[in-house]
Amino acid sequence: AAGPAPPMVEYWRRRLRAPIATVTFKPTWTRAGDPLWPQNQGENTCEALTVAIRERVLLLGATGTTGRLTLRHLLALGIPTTVAGRSAEKLAALAGDTGLETTEVRIDDREGLARAFTGHAVVVNCVGPFLRFGSAPVEAALDACLHYLDSSWEQAHFLRLAKYDEVAKRQGITVIPGAGVSPGVSDLLVAIGARHRGREPIESVTVHYVEGAGNRFSYGTLLANVEVLKANSYRLAGGELVAMRVGEKRKTVEFPGRLGRQRLMLYPGADVAAVSRSYQVRDVEHYFGAQWFTGVLGLLGRLRFRPDSVLVRAVCSTAVRLQGLVPGGRTGFAQVVDLRWRLAHGSRACRVGLCGDEVYEVTARLLASCAAKLVHSASAPTGVVSPGRAFDPDDLLDAIGLTAVVAADPG
């Protein structure tokens, strides 16, 4: 007998709405100029465009770890998907006899990407490291006038995307970076906790994120971490971005579920950029722990080599292969978000937490569910937004099969 349907399939069986037929908008930039910079935005010379909203999604990086899982969930939801990447052979092997459409394109070819994106409703980008490859797909999505999602978590990438906000709003485009476990799920927890404050201003947000020792990390994840360690790192203090060093502060946190009590280090999480964009808040910090993985991060951070050097790549490849030799430990992930807001006399706090089983699997569910919502909804806000601002956080957690626990005034 067939087993129960995946959580996202059940969710969409309950809640799927009819897709929109068309949307009409007037672009505020000329095709002859570069739409990404204010000095190049001239008076609109184009006629009003009526663009058919199709259900088709284009998936970049479909042959990678996250991409393959995301493709499986998109197809489970019945969303027509085009798979794109730089290797025609890998794409053909992935498509097999399924009839999937494939497109060969380089991740750094903005014009080629825009051509590939044409005719789709949403592009889902799973190609990292995003500090190196994250700009061209966003710019191409704006050129082709379609919504954009990615699985990024690099803080510097989030800060860089702020410059695309206004042009995305003018075109009626939704850009959602970080639609993964971190910072996507933690952003949903922040949105849930923020509802408990009423109209009071948020004073601080602290995100705590841990992965079990039994987790396995992809080569791309390790390589992206090297780039994060080489980039400038920030926390938010007093409403301003303040430079920080990875691990300069450490703390112990009790997590829900089997991961329990864990030791964490200060880390440049993308939550710092995402939360400060969504809310008026004074202080934001991100703490991270992954046991053996944090040791690898420390080693990679001390290497005085470029992130794309042969030595760094060799270290990442070796670490991936050696994961099988690490004694088995607890798997999964857990997150705890603490919010504090000011009152007329004193302050109040709220703690929101959850735990999950497999990081890449949950990231794939979140990407696919956000894509489905953009395809089937007319109500998503435009501009560069986080998942918790784009969609109802409880509804989205329901879609990916996670449940948040809220506690007021944690000790």
Side-chain angles (χ1 to χ4, degrees), residues 28-317:
T28 57
W29 43 270
T30 62
R31 289 260 178 199
D34 186 339
L36 301 175
W37 303 102
Q39 61 266 31
N40 290 331
Q41 292 171 2
E43 183 178 350
N44 174 39
T45 58
C46 303
E47 296 181 358
L49 302 179
T50 301
V51 180
I53 297 300
R54 305 176 184 179
E55 292 190 359
R56 181 164 291 277
V57 168
L58 185 138
L59 177 61
L60 277 173
T63 60
T65 301
T66 303
R68 286 177 178 271
L69 292 169
T70 303
L71 176 62
R72 178 163 61 86
H73 286 295
L74 287 169
L75 297 180
L77 294 176
I79 298 176
T81 304
T82 300
V83 292
R86 63 181 180 179
S87 172
E89 292 77 16
K90 289 183 178 180
L91 291 172
L94 179 66
D97 299 325
T98 62
L100 281 174
E101 290 189 18
T102 65
T103 299
E104 184 179 359
V105 64
R106 289 182 57 85
I107 193 66
D108 56 355
D109 179 6
R110 173 175 165 179
E111 293 184 359
L113 288 168
R115 288 192 297 270
F117 292 173
T118 301
H120 296 81
V122 180
V123 58
V124 179
N125 180 17
C126 299
V127 181
F130 288 88
L131 282 179
R132 195 186 315 169
F133 301 123
S135 294
V138 179
E139 295 169 1
L142 294 174
D143 290 344
C145 299
L146 74 162
H147 302 306
Y148 172 90
L149 293 163
D150 71 34
S151 57
S152 65
W153 49 268
E154 297 95 320
Q155 184 187 90
H157 175 64
F158 274 66
L159 295 172
R160 183 172 58 192
L161 289 186
K163 67 184 180 184
Y164 303 124
D165 184 58
E166 287 303 319
V167 67
K169 287 178 178 177
R170 294 190 190 101
Q171 293 172 230
I173 301 300
T174 302
V175 175
I176 306 178
V181 166
S182 180
V185 172
S186 55
D187 185 76
L188 300 179
L189 299 184
V190 172
I192 290 171
R195 292 194 304 229
H196 290 263
R197 80 188 193 282
R199 296 181 178 275
E200 304 300 330
I202 300 176
E203 188 172 66
S204 66
V205 174
T206 308
V207 176
H208 310 94
Y209 173 51
V210 68
E211 296 190 19
N215 282 13
R216 297 295 180 258
F217 299 92
S218 71
Y219 171 79
T221 298
L222 285 171
L223 195 61
N225 268 283
V226 179
E227 302 221 351
V228 168
L229 293 172
K230 296 295 183 181
N232 293 330
S233 301
Y234 301 96
R235 60 187 177 89
L236 194 74
E240 302 288 339
L241 290 175
V242 176
M244 52 155 279
R245 290 182 295 103
V246 175
E248 69 178 46
K249 296 167 65 176
R250 296 178 183 268
K251 64 192 304 187
T252 300
V253 176
E254 187 72 32
F255 286 93
R258 60 179 177 269
L259 292 179
R261 196 171 182 85
Q262 298 284 343
R263 188 71 172 166
L264 310 180
M265 65 178 181
L266 185 67
Y267 192 79
D271 315 271
V272 173
V275 172
S276 60
R277 169 175 285 276
S278 299
Y279 304 95
Q280 288 187 336
V281 57
R282 287 180 51 81
D283 304 320
V284 183
E285 290 184 339
H286 177 103
Y287 288 83
F288 171 68
Q291 298 182 24
W292 74 267
F293 185 57
T294 57
V296 175
L297 289 183
L299 170 64
L300 295 175
R302 287 191 291 271
L303 294 177
R304 295 180 179 275
F305 295 92
R306 289 170 52 87
D308 58 350
S309 68
V310 174
L311 178 60
V312 170
R313 289 177 177 273
V315 171
C316 290
S317 297

